[in-house]
Amino acid sequence: MAQNRTHRIVLAQPAGGPEVLRIEEQALPAPKADEILIRAAACGVNRPDQIERLGFYPAPKGARPGLGLEVAGEVIETGADVSGFAVGDEVCALVSGGGYSDFVIAKAGATLPRPDGLTLEEAAGLPETVFTVWTNVFESGALQPGETFLVHGGTSGIGTTAIQMAKAHGARVIATAGTAEKCALCRDLGADIAINYREEDYEEICREAGGVDVILDMVGGSYVQKNINIMNPGGRLVSIAFLQGSRCELDLMLVMLKRLTLTGSTLRARPDTEKARIAAAVRDHVLPWIEAGKVRTVIDSRFELDDVRSAHERLDGGQHSGKILLIP
Ligand SMILES: NC(=O)c1ccc[n+]([C@@H]2O[C@H](COP(=O)([O-])OP(=O)(O)OC[C@H]3O[C@@H](n4cnc5c(N)ncnc54)[C@H](OP(=O)(O)O)[C@@H]3O)[C@@H](O)[C@H]2O)c1
């Protein structure tokens, strides 16, 4: 069915600012036996796409060409070994490349049905953040109901999702963000405490709040020691990015005395079998929260696919809250 069909993809060559992004029309390959061809209704824009555009995040081997890690739309073709999805189904999927497109090929194992109650646009903003939060906060971080969870970057795509998933699980949630408006959004999403890190000392506030058990950190740098300082015994610090840098000086004494776990992961490079395992867990545990209205996608803005440069200018500006979407 895909024969003789073309699709638009977005390339960043050479690496640089949003101005390097260009759309290229390419032949659309047929899906392999374990793949699904999706006619995209919307594609999510994520911070890792910016890092790739800047030339610091090469695509893993075997990834489809082009930027973009998530999509939602209608299944228009399935590979020979695919079961559980049929032509006409509405789905969302995590992909390791080529997600900014009108037609996207996804592994069936990393594809989910569009959750009831969400539009396809809302579903397009789910996979990258939900998979990341599930595997880091709930698997590596083993967050338990009643524990205190701290997420930095509370209004990022990841942060808005992490606040809601942790609350749905019964945790107490503290979030940091860079403006009063962003802090208000964190509270609207369920955060018990929101800290404007530009005006307040999050270390002091978390200590006064009784310490934290699990931290999802995307800042790194000077935050790492502060995070360690405020963790309760047995606490888990999960690093998923380093907006302030991946190098820091640490005093490991507290790690030992408080029996802390320092861990982290990246999603994109993980094997398909791992992504399929995470997808199955998301289906079992997170889709019910979404369908019960406890977790939703926060949409910041929508841009035409042809206007992808404006979408990345918005991402680079850092004023956004929640997800930026591309509409093919
Ligand atoms: N490891 C993984 O598997 C994985 C997967 C997906 C994403 N990530 C990472 O997770 C992070 C969030 O991704 P996203 O797509 O959700 O990002 P996003 O929506 O673009 O948000 C990034 C957030 O970082 C905050 N920020 C920026 N610079 C900061 C600084 N120096 N100190 C403190 N906060 C800062 C900004 O909020 P304020 O205005 O409040 O500062 C913004 O909300 C990114 O760094 C991304 O690379 C990792």
PDB file of all heavy atoms in Angstrom, residues 46-48 51 128-129 132 136 153 155-159 176-179 182 197-198 218-219 223 240-241 243-244 265-267 315 318 320 322, ligand 1:
ATOM      1  N   ASN A  46       9.675  17.424  21.397  1.00  0.00           N
ATOM      2  CA  ASN A  46      10.290  17.194  22.702  1.00  0.00           C
ATOM      3  C   ASN A  46      11.669  17.822  22.760  1.00  0.00           C
ATOM      4  O   ASN A  46      12.327  17.993  21.732  1.00  0.00           O
ATOM      5  CB  ASN A  46      10.408  15.683  22.962  1.00  0.00           C
ATOM      6  CG  ASN A  46       9.042  15.032  23.108  1.00  0.00           C
ATOM      7  OD1 ASN A  46       8.414  15.124  24.148  1.00  0.00           O
ATOM      8  ND2 ASN A  46       8.566  14.393  22.042  1.00  0.00           N
ATOM      9  N   ARG A  47      12.121  18.090  23.985  1.00  0.00           N
ATOM     10  CA  ARG A  47      13.455  18.671  24.182  1.00  0.00           C
ATOM     11  C   ARG A  47      14.564  17.821  23.536  1.00  0.00           C
ATOM     12  O   ARG A  47      15.490  18.364  22.951  1.00  0.00           O
ATOM     13  CB  ARG A  47      13.687  18.843  25.693  1.00  0.00           C
ATOM     14  CG  ARG A  47      15.006  19.397  26.127  1.00  0.00           C
ATOM     15  CD  ARG A  47      15.203  20.855  25.918  1.00  0.00           C
ATOM     16  NE  ARG A  47      14.079  21.684  26.264  1.00  0.00           N
ATOM     17  CZ  ARG A  47      14.139  23.023  26.307  1.00  0.00           C
ATOM     18  NH1 ARG A  47      15.268  23.644  26.041  1.00  0.00           N
ATOM     19  NH2 ARG A  47      13.071  23.720  26.599  1.00  0.00           N
ATOM     20  N   PRO A  48      14.484  16.477  23.579  1.00  0.00           N
ATOM     21  CA  PRO A  48      15.531  15.702  22.904  1.00  0.00           C
ATOM     22  C   PRO A  48      15.630  16.023  21.406  1.00  0.00           C
ATOM     23  O   PRO A  48      16.717  15.889  20.816  1.00  0.00           O
ATOM     24  CB  PRO A  48      15.096  14.246  23.129  1.00  0.00           C
ATOM     25  CG  PRO A  48      14.295  14.289  24.396  1.00  0.00           C
ATOM     26  CD  PRO A  48      13.585  15.605  24.373  1.00  0.00           C
ATOM     27  N   ILE A  51      18.010  18.810  21.103  1.00  0.00           N
ATOM     28  CA  ILE A  51      19.390  18.381  21.331  1.00  0.00           C
ATOM     29  C   ILE A  51      19.916  17.676  20.065  1.00  0.00           C
ATOM     30  O   ILE A  51      21.050  17.868  19.648  1.00  0.00           O
ATOM     31  CB  ILE A  51      19.468  17.470  22.585  1.00  0.00           C
ATOM     32  CG1 ILE A  51      18.907  18.228  23.793  1.00  0.00           C
ATOM     33  CG2 ILE A  51      20.898  17.038  22.865  1.00  0.00           C
ATOM     34  CD1 ILE A  51      18.675  17.381  25.027  1.00  0.00           C
ATOM     35  N   GLU A 128       6.258   9.886  24.547  1.00  0.00           N
ATOM     36  CA  GLU A 128       7.620  10.173  25.018  1.00  0.00           C
ATOM     37  C   GLU A 128       7.623  10.471  26.520  1.00  0.00           C
ATOM     38  O   GLU A 128       8.474   9.979  27.262  1.00  0.00           O
ATOM     39  CB  GLU A 128       8.197  11.348  24.217  1.00  0.00           C
ATOM     40  CG  GLU A 128       9.555  11.845  24.676  1.00  0.00           C
ATOM     41  CD  GLU A 128      10.716  10.905  24.362  1.00  0.00           C
ATOM     42  OE1 GLU A 128      10.529   9.903  23.654  1.00  0.00           O
ATOM     43  OE2 GLU A 128      11.828  11.179  24.857  1.00  0.00           O
ATOM     44  N   THR A 129       6.654  11.257  26.972  1.00  0.00           N
ATOM     45  CA  THR A 129       6.676  11.622  28.390  1.00  0.00           C
ATOM     46  C   THR A 129       6.179  10.476  29.269  1.00  0.00           C
ATOM     47  O   THR A 129       6.763  10.193  30.302  1.00  0.00           O
ATOM     48  CB  THR A 129       5.826  12.885  28.648  1.00  0.00           C
ATOM     49  OG1 THR A 129       4.511  12.654  28.179  1.00  0.00           O
ATOM     50  CG2 THR A 129       6.387  14.090  27.941  1.00  0.00           C
ATOM     51  N   THR A 132       8.754   7.718  29.499  1.00  0.00           N
ATOM     52  CA  THR A 132       9.915   8.173  30.276  1.00  0.00           C
ATOM     53  C   THR A 132       9.588   8.227  31.760  1.00  0.00           C
ATOM     54  O   THR A 132      10.368   7.757  32.601  1.00  0.00           O
ATOM     55  CB  THR A 132      10.368   9.570  29.785  1.00  0.00           C
ATOM     56  OG1 THR A 132      10.716   9.480  28.413  1.00  0.00           O
ATOM     57  CG2 THR A 132      11.568  10.081  30.569  1.00  0.00           C
ATOM     58  N   ASN A 136      11.260   5.680  34.605  1.00  0.00           N
ATOM     59  CA  ASN A 136      12.198   6.313  35.537  1.00  0.00           C
ATOM     60  C   ASN A 136      11.631   6.487  36.942  1.00  0.00           C
ATOM     61  O   ASN A 136      12.315   6.218  37.920  1.00  0.00           O
ATOM     62  CB  ASN A 136      12.661   7.668  34.975  1.00  0.00           C
ATOM     63  CG  ASN A 136      13.638   7.470  33.830  1.00  0.00           C
ATOM     64  OD1 ASN A 136      14.775   7.071  34.034  1.00  0.00           O
ATOM     65  ND2 ASN A 136      13.182   7.704  32.609  1.00  0.00           N
ATOM     66  N   GLY A 153      11.657  21.057  36.808  1.00  0.00           N
ATOM     67  CA  GLY A 153      11.078  21.336  35.483  1.00  0.00           C
ATOM     68  C   GLY A 153       9.626  20.898  35.457  1.00  0.00           C
ATOM     69  O   GLY A 153       9.181  20.212  34.535  1.00  0.00           O
ATOM     70  N   THR A 155       6.837  22.140  34.693  1.00  0.00           N
ATOM     71  CA  THR A 155       5.937  22.434  33.562  1.00  0.00           C
ATOM     72  C   THR A 155       6.507  21.960  32.229  1.00  0.00           C
ATOM     73  O   THR A 155       5.950  22.268  31.173  1.00  0.00           O
ATOM     74  CB  THR A 155       5.611  23.941  33.462  1.00  0.00           C
ATOM     75  OG1 THR A 155       6.838  24.651  33.274  1.00  0.00           O
ATOM     76  CG2 THR A 155       4.891  24.423  34.702  1.00  0.00           C
ATOM     77  N   SER A 156       7.616  21.253  32.253  1.00  0.00           N
ATOM     78  CA  SER A 156       8.088  20.621  31.015  1.00  0.00           C
ATOM     79  C   SER A 156       7.079  19.553  30.613  1.00  0.00           C
ATOM     80  O   SER A 156       6.204  19.174  31.409  1.00  0.00           O
ATOM     81  CB  SER A 156       9.461  19.979  31.243  1.00  0.00           C
ATOM     82  OG  SER A 156       9.368  18.957  32.221  1.00  0.00           O
ATOM     83  N   GLY A 157       7.195  19.057  29.385  1.00  0.00           N
ATOM     84  CA  GLY A 157       6.339  17.937  28.984  1.00  0.00           C
ATOM     85  C   GLY A 157       6.476  16.805  29.991  1.00  0.00           C
ATOM     86  O   GLY A 157       5.481  16.237  30.466  1.00  0.00           O
ATOM     87  N   ILE A 158       7.723  16.486  30.339  1.00  0.00           N
ATOM     88  CA  ILE A 158       7.969  15.419  31.317  1.00  0.00           C
ATOM     89  C   ILE A 158       7.380  15.792  32.674  1.00  0.00           C
ATOM     90  O   ILE A 158       6.713  14.982  33.325  1.00  0.00           O
ATOM     91  CB  ILE A 158       9.503  15.201  31.473  1.00  0.00           C
ATOM     92  CG1 ILE A 158      10.137  14.722  30.164  1.00  0.00           C
ATOM     93  CG2 ILE A 158       9.801  14.269  32.642  1.00  0.00           C
ATOM     94  CD1 ILE A 158       9.930  13.281  29.823  1.00  0.00           C
ATOM     95  N   GLY A 159       7.608  17.029  33.103  1.00  0.00           N
ATOM     96  CA  GLY A 159       7.176  17.448  34.439  1.00  0.00           C
ATOM     97  C   GLY A 159       5.667  17.418  34.600  1.00  0.00           C
ATOM     98  O   GLY A 159       5.154  16.927  35.613  1.00  0.00           O
ATOM     99  N   THR A 176       9.377  22.000  40.962  1.00  0.00           N
ATOM    100  CA  THR A 176      10.039  23.293  40.802  1.00  0.00           C
ATOM    101  C   THR A 176       9.769  23.812  39.393  1.00  0.00           C
ATOM    102  O   THR A 176       9.593  23.034  38.454  1.00  0.00           O
ATOM    103  CB  THR A 176      11.570  23.205  40.994  1.00  0.00           C
ATOM    104  OG1 THR A 176      12.133  22.397  39.952  1.00  0.00           O
ATOM    105  CG2 THR A 176      11.942  22.626  42.342  1.00  0.00           C
ATOM    106  N   ALA A 177       9.703  25.144  39.263  1.00  0.00           N
ATOM    107  CA  ALA A 177       9.524  25.767  37.948  1.00  0.00           C
ATOM    108  C   ALA A 177      10.031  27.201  38.031  1.00  0.00           C
ATOM    109  O   ALA A 177      10.257  27.726  39.131  1.00  0.00           O
ATOM    110  CB  ALA A 177       8.045  25.735  37.547  1.00  0.00           C
ATOM    111  N   GLY A 178      10.177  27.827  36.843  1.00  0.00           N
ATOM    112  CA  GLY A 178      10.906  29.087  36.783  1.00  0.00           C
ATOM    113  C   GLY A 178      10.097  30.369  36.874  1.00  0.00           C
ATOM    114  O   GLY A 178      10.692  31.454  36.902  1.00  0.00           O
ATOM    115  N   THR A 179       8.755  30.290  36.924  1.00  0.00           N
ATOM    116  CA  THR A 179       7.955  31.517  37.066  1.00  0.00           C
ATOM    117  C   THR A 179       6.751  31.223  37.962  1.00  0.00           C
ATOM    118  O   THR A 179       6.379  30.050  38.159  1.00  0.00           O
ATOM    119  CB  THR A 179       7.393  32.018  35.708  1.00  0.00           C
ATOM    120  OG1 THR A 179       6.456  31.052  35.213  1.00  0.00           O
ATOM    121  CG2 THR A 179       8.486  32.250  34.671  1.00  0.00           C
ATOM    122  N   LYS A 182       4.126  29.369  35.989  1.00  0.00           N
ATOM    123  CA  LYS A 182       4.445  27.943  35.840  1.00  0.00           C
ATOM    124  C   LYS A 182       4.167  27.199  37.155  1.00  0.00           C
ATOM    125  O   LYS A 182       3.676  26.071  37.149  1.00  0.00           O
ATOM    126  CB  LYS A 182       5.898  27.760  35.399  1.00  0.00           C
ATOM    127  CG  LYS A 182       6.129  28.145  33.930  1.00  0.00           C
ATOM    128  CD  LYS A 182       7.553  27.799  33.480  1.00  0.00           C
ATOM    129  CE  LYS A 182       7.707  28.004  31.972  1.00  0.00           C
ATOM    130  NZ  LYS A 182       8.982  27.501  31.456  1.00  0.00           N
ATOM    131  N   TYR A 197      12.040  28.280  41.526  1.00  0.00           N
ATOM    132  CA  TYR A 197      13.450  28.116  41.872  1.00  0.00           C
ATOM    133  C   TYR A 197      14.277  29.382  41.632  1.00  0.00           C
ATOM    134  O   TYR A 197      15.398  29.499  42.115  1.00  0.00           O
ATOM    135  CB  TYR A 197      14.071  26.921  41.119  1.00  0.00           C
ATOM    136  CG  TYR A 197      14.212  27.118  39.622  1.00  0.00           C
ATOM    137  CD1 TYR A 197      15.315  27.749  39.077  1.00  0.00           C
ATOM    138  CD2 TYR A 197      13.226  26.646  38.756  1.00  0.00           C
ATOM    139  CE1 TYR A 197      15.435  27.925  37.703  1.00  0.00           C
ATOM    140  CE2 TYR A 197      13.327  26.828  37.390  1.00  0.00           C
ATOM    141  CZ  TYR A 197      14.435  27.462  36.869  1.00  0.00           C
ATOM    142  OH  TYR A 197      14.553  27.645  35.516  1.00  0.00           O
ATOM    143  N   ARG A 198      13.701  30.346  40.895  1.00  0.00           N
ATOM    144  CA  ARG A 198      14.447  31.599  40.694  1.00  0.00           C
ATOM    145  C   ARG A 198      14.340  32.511  41.916  1.00  0.00           C
ATOM    146  O   ARG A 198      15.145  33.413  42.094  1.00  0.00           O
ATOM    147  CB  ARG A 198      13.913  32.352  39.472  1.00  0.00           C
ATOM    148  CG  ARG A 198      14.187  31.630  38.168  1.00  0.00           C
ATOM    149  CD  ARG A 198      13.752  32.484  36.981  1.00  0.00           C
ATOM    150  NE  ARG A 198      13.398  31.662  35.844  1.00  0.00           N
ATOM    151  CZ  ARG A 198      14.273  31.170  34.971  1.00  0.00           C
ATOM    152  NH1 ARG A 198      15.539  31.445  35.095  1.00  0.00           N
ATOM    153  NH2 ARG A 198      13.859  30.419  33.967  1.00  0.00           N
ATOM    154  N   MET A 218      16.206  16.690  35.841  1.00  0.00           N
ATOM    155  CA  MET A 218      16.653  16.966  34.475  1.00  0.00           C
ATOM    156  C   MET A 218      17.636  18.130  34.464  1.00  0.00           C
ATOM    157  O   MET A 218      17.971  18.633  33.409  1.00  0.00           O
ATOM    158  CB  MET A 218      15.454  17.274  33.577  1.00  0.00           C
ATOM    159  CG  MET A 218      14.604  18.415  34.065  1.00  0.00           C
ATOM    160  SD  MET A 218      13.129  18.697  33.041  1.00  0.00           S
ATOM    161  CE  MET A 218      12.040  17.395  33.547  1.00  0.00           C
ATOM    162  N   VAL A 219      18.080  18.557  35.645  1.00  0.00           N
ATOM    163  CA  VAL A 219      18.933  19.746  35.726  1.00  0.00           C
ATOM    164  C   VAL A 219      20.404  19.374  35.913  1.00  0.00           C
ATOM    165  O   VAL A 219      21.293  19.945  35.274  1.00  0.00           O
ATOM    166  CB  VAL A 219      18.453  20.698  36.854  1.00  0.00           C
ATOM    167  CG1 VAL A 219      19.315  21.949  36.896  1.00  0.00           C
ATOM    168  CG2 VAL A 219      16.985  21.084  36.636  1.00  0.00           C
ATOM    169  N   TYR A 223      22.523  20.930  41.136  1.00  0.00           N
ATOM    170  CA  TYR A 223      21.335  20.336  41.767  1.00  0.00           C
ATOM    171  C   TYR A 223      21.645  18.966  42.383  1.00  0.00           C
ATOM    172  O   TYR A 223      20.939  18.529  43.277  1.00  0.00           O
ATOM    173  CB  TYR A 223      20.221  20.146  40.730  1.00  0.00           C
ATOM    174  CG  TYR A 223      19.303  21.348  40.548  1.00  0.00           C
ATOM    175  CD1 TYR A 223      19.788  22.647  40.596  1.00  0.00           C
ATOM    176  CD2 TYR A 223      17.949  21.176  40.305  1.00  0.00           C
ATOM    177  CE1 TYR A 223      18.945  23.735  40.401  1.00  0.00           C
ATOM    178  CE2 TYR A 223      17.099  22.256  40.112  1.00  0.00           C
ATOM    179  CZ  TYR A 223      17.601  23.532  40.166  1.00  0.00           C
ATOM    180  OH  TYR A 223      16.753  24.603  39.977  1.00  0.00           O
ATOM    181  N   ILE A 240      17.506  12.187  34.295  1.00  0.00           N
ATOM    182  CA  ILE A 240      17.130  11.942  32.894  1.00  0.00           C
ATOM    183  C   ILE A 240      17.706  12.990  31.947  1.00  0.00           C
ATOM    184  O   ILE A 240      17.554  12.871  30.737  1.00  0.00           O
ATOM    185  CB  ILE A 240      15.600  11.850  32.694  1.00  0.00           C
ATOM    186  CG1 ILE A 240      14.890  13.121  33.187  1.00  0.00           C
ATOM    187  CG2 ILE A 240      15.045  10.604  33.343  1.00  0.00           C
ATOM    188  CD1 ILE A 240      13.470  13.250  32.649  1.00  0.00           C
ATOM    189  N   ALA A 241      18.324  14.033  32.488  1.00  0.00           N
ATOM    190  CA  ALA A 241      18.943  15.047  31.614  1.00  0.00           C
ATOM    191  C   ALA A 241      19.776  15.975  32.483  1.00  0.00           C
ATOM    192  O   ALA A 241      19.725  15.906  33.726  1.00  0.00           O
ATOM    193  CB  ALA A 241      17.880  15.848  30.869  1.00  0.00           C
ATOM    194  N   LEU A 243      20.326  19.822  32.178  1.00  0.00           N
ATOM    195  CA  LEU A 243      20.189  21.164  31.603  1.00  0.00           C
ATOM    196  C   LEU A 243      21.263  22.108  32.142  1.00  0.00           C
ATOM    197  O   LEU A 243      21.599  23.093  31.520  1.00  0.00           O
ATOM    198  CB  LEU A 243      18.782  21.709  31.895  1.00  0.00           C
ATOM    199  CG  LEU A 243      17.661  20.972  31.150  1.00  0.00           C
ATOM    200  CD1 LEU A 243      16.299  21.248  31.773  1.00  0.00           C
ATOM    201  CD2 LEU A 243      17.648  21.344  29.681  1.00  0.00           C
ATOM    202  N   GLN A 244      21.808  21.777  33.337  1.00  0.00           N
ATOM    203  CA  GLN A 244      22.882  22.609  33.913  1.00  0.00           C
ATOM    204  C   GLN A 244      24.248  21.934  33.773  1.00  0.00           C
ATOM    205  O   GLN A 244      25.220  22.398  34.342  1.00  0.00           O
ATOM    206  CB  GLN A 244      22.601  22.812  35.402  1.00  0.00           C
ATOM    207  CG  GLN A 244      22.466  24.247  35.842  1.00  0.00           C
ATOM    208  CD  GLN A 244      22.365  24.314  37.364  1.00  0.00           C
ATOM    209  OE1 GLN A 244      23.161  23.740  38.102  1.00  0.00           O
ATOM    210  NE2 GLN A 244      21.363  25.022  37.820  1.00  0.00           N
ATOM    211  N   SER A 265      18.414   6.972  33.122  1.00  0.00           N
ATOM    212  CA  SER A 265      18.293   6.189  31.886  1.00  0.00           C
ATOM    213  C   SER A 265      18.004   7.113  30.715  1.00  0.00           C
ATOM    214  O   SER A 265      17.635   8.273  30.908  1.00  0.00           O
ATOM    215  CB  SER A 265      17.159   5.165  31.998  1.00  0.00           C
ATOM    216  OG  SER A 265      15.900   5.801  31.926  1.00  0.00           O
ATOM    217  N   THR A 266      18.210   6.598  29.521  1.00  0.00           N
ATOM    218  CA  THR A 266      17.704   7.272  28.317  1.00  0.00           C
ATOM    219  C   THR A 266      16.754   6.290  27.639  1.00  0.00           C
ATOM    220  O   THR A 266      16.959   5.082  27.676  1.00  0.00           O
ATOM    221  CB  THR A 266      18.820   7.625  27.314  1.00  0.00           C
ATOM    222  OG1 THR A 266      19.481   6.435  26.940  1.00  0.00           O
ATOM    223  CG2 THR A 266      19.799   8.598  27.903  1.00  0.00           C
ATOM    224  N   LEU A 267      15.727   6.840  27.036  1.00  0.00           N
ATOM    225  CA  LEU A 267      14.680   5.994  26.459  1.00  0.00           C
ATOM    226  C   LEU A 267      15.010   5.577  25.027  1.00  0.00           C
ATOM    227  O   LEU A 267      14.856   4.414  24.643  1.00  0.00           O
ATOM    228  CB  LEU A 267      13.359   6.779  26.496  1.00  0.00           C
ATOM    229  CG  LEU A 267      12.114   6.066  25.995  1.00  0.00           C
ATOM    230  CD1 LEU A 267      11.826   4.817  26.826  1.00  0.00           C
ATOM    231  CD2 LEU A 267      10.910   7.012  26.043  1.00  0.00           C
ATOM    232  N   LEU A 315      10.210  26.126  21.443  1.00  0.00           N
ATOM    233  CA  LEU A 315      10.907  25.194  22.341  1.00  0.00           C
ATOM    234  C   LEU A 315      12.177  25.841  22.897  1.00  0.00           C
ATOM    235  O   LEU A 315      12.447  25.794  24.096  1.00  0.00           O
ATOM    236  CB  LEU A 315      11.256  23.924  21.558  1.00  0.00           C
ATOM    237  CG  LEU A 315      11.916  22.773  22.292  1.00  0.00           C
ATOM    238  CD1 LEU A 315      10.940  22.136  23.290  1.00  0.00           C
ATOM    239  CD2 LEU A 315      12.381  21.695  21.306  1.00  0.00           C
ATOM    240  N   GLY A 318      11.833  28.521  25.759  1.00  0.00           N
ATOM    241  CA  GLY A 318      11.632  28.032  27.130  1.00  0.00           C
ATOM    242  C   GLY A 318      10.420  28.625  27.841  1.00  0.00           C
ATOM    243  O   GLY A 318      10.244  28.410  29.031  1.00  0.00           O
ATOM    244  N   HIS A 320       7.337  27.859  27.089  1.00  0.00           N
ATOM    245  CA  HIS A 320       6.204  26.947  26.963  1.00  0.00           C
ATOM    246  C   HIS A 320       5.950  26.177  28.253  1.00  0.00           C
ATOM    247  O   HIS A 320       6.852  25.982  29.066  1.00  0.00           O
ATOM    248  CB  HIS A 320       6.450  25.964  25.806  1.00  0.00           C
ATOM    249  CG  HIS A 320       7.634  25.079  26.017  1.00  0.00           C
ATOM    250  ND1 HIS A 320       8.923  25.539  25.983  1.00  0.00           N
ATOM    251  CD2 HIS A 320       7.719  23.747  26.286  1.00  0.00           C
ATOM    252  CE1 HIS A 320       9.754  24.533  26.215  1.00  0.00           C
ATOM    253  NE2 HIS A 320       9.047  23.435  26.403  1.00  0.00           N
ATOM    254  N   GLY A 322       4.076  22.455  29.056  1.00  0.00           N
ATOM    255  CA  GLY A 322       3.466  21.274  28.440  1.00  0.00           C
ATOM    256  C   GLY A 322       3.994  21.077  27.028  1.00  0.00           C
ATOM    257  O   GLY A 322       5.105  21.480  26.692  1.00  0.00           O
TER     258      GLY A 322
HETATM  259  N1  LIG B   1      16.435  10.366  29.584  1.00  0.00           N
HETATM  260  C1  LIG B   1      15.338  10.245  28.864  1.00  0.00           C
HETATM  261  O1  LIG B   1      14.925   9.153  28.497  1.00  0.00           O
HETATM  262  C2  LIG B   1      14.584  11.483  28.471  1.00  0.00           C
HETATM  263  C3  LIG B   1      13.413  11.374  27.696  1.00  0.00           C
HETATM  264  C4  LIG B   1      12.695  12.545  27.399  1.00  0.00           C
HETATM  265  C5  LIG B   1      13.168  13.784  27.845  1.00  0.00           C
HETATM  266  N2  LIG B   1      14.336  13.830  28.547  1.00  0.00           N
HETATM  267  C6  LIG B   1      14.843  15.123  29.041  1.00  0.00           C
HETATM  268  O2  LIG B   1      13.928  15.621  29.982  1.00  0.00           O
HETATM  269  C7  LIG B   1      13.934  17.031  29.947  1.00  0.00           C
HETATM  270  C8  LIG B   1      12.519  17.504  29.742  1.00  0.00           C
HETATM  271  O3  LIG B   1      12.099  17.178  28.426  1.00  0.00           O
HETATM  272  P1  LIG B   1      10.813  17.894  27.828  1.00  0.00           P
HETATM  273  O4  LIG B   1      10.695  17.536  26.417  1.00  0.00           O
HETATM  274  O5  LIG B   1       9.690  17.630  28.753  1.00  0.00           O
HETATM  275  O6  LIG B   1      11.319  19.416  27.971  1.00  0.00           O
HETATM  276  P2  LIG B   1      10.638  20.800  27.846  1.00  0.00           P
HETATM  277  O7  LIG B   1       9.141  20.654  27.812  1.00  0.00           O
HETATM  278  O8  LIG B   1      11.296  21.536  26.772  1.00  0.00           O
HETATM  279  O9  LIG B   1      10.998  21.500  29.240  1.00  0.00           O
HETATM  280  C9  LIG B   1      12.294  21.757  29.713  1.00  0.00           C
HETATM  281  C10 LIG B   1      12.141  22.419  31.090  1.00  0.00           C
HETATM  282  O10 LIG B   1      13.377  22.627  31.688  1.00  0.00           O
HETATM  283  C11 LIG B   1      13.332  23.778  32.506  1.00  0.00           C
HETATM  284  N3  LIG B   1      14.695  24.307  32.487  1.00  0.00           N
HETATM  285  C12 LIG B   1      15.410  24.707  31.423  1.00  0.00           C
HETATM  286  N4  LIG B   1      16.661  25.083  31.799  1.00  0.00           N
HETATM  287  C13 LIG B   1      16.707  24.895  33.133  1.00  0.00           C
HETATM  288  C14 LIG B   1      17.709  25.107  34.098  1.00  0.00           C
HETATM  289  N5  LIG B   1      18.941  25.543  33.772  1.00  0.00           N
HETATM  290  N6  LIG B   1      17.435  24.840  35.393  1.00  0.00           N
HETATM  291  C15 LIG B   1      16.201  24.368  35.737  1.00  0.00           C
HETATM  292  N7  LIG B   1      15.210  24.131  34.851  1.00  0.00           N
HETATM  293  C16 LIG B   1      15.467  24.404  33.567  1.00  0.00           C
HETATM  294  C17 LIG B   1      12.306  24.704  31.876  1.00  0.00           C
HETATM  295  O11 LIG B   1      11.427  25.183  32.842  1.00  0.00           O
HETATM  296  P3  LIG B   1      11.630  26.524  33.670  1.00  0.00           P
HETATM  297  O12 LIG B   1      11.154  27.675  32.827  1.00  0.00           O
HETATM  298  O13 LIG B   1      10.761  26.251  34.825  1.00  0.00           O
HETATM  299  O14 LIG B   1      13.092  26.623  33.983  1.00  0.00           O
HETATM  300  C18 LIG B   1      11.456  23.739  31.030  1.00  0.00           C
HETATM  301  O15 LIG B   1      10.196  23.509  31.613  1.00  0.00           O
HETATM  302  C19 LIG B   1      14.839  17.459  28.792  1.00  0.00           C
HETATM  303  O16 LIG B   1      16.073  17.856  29.319  1.00  0.00           O
HETATM  304  C20 LIG B   1      14.958  16.198  27.972  1.00  0.00           C
HETATM  305  O17 LIG B   1      16.170  16.125  27.275  1.00  0.00           O
HETATM  306  C21 LIG B   1      15.031  12.730  28.871  1.00  0.00           C
END
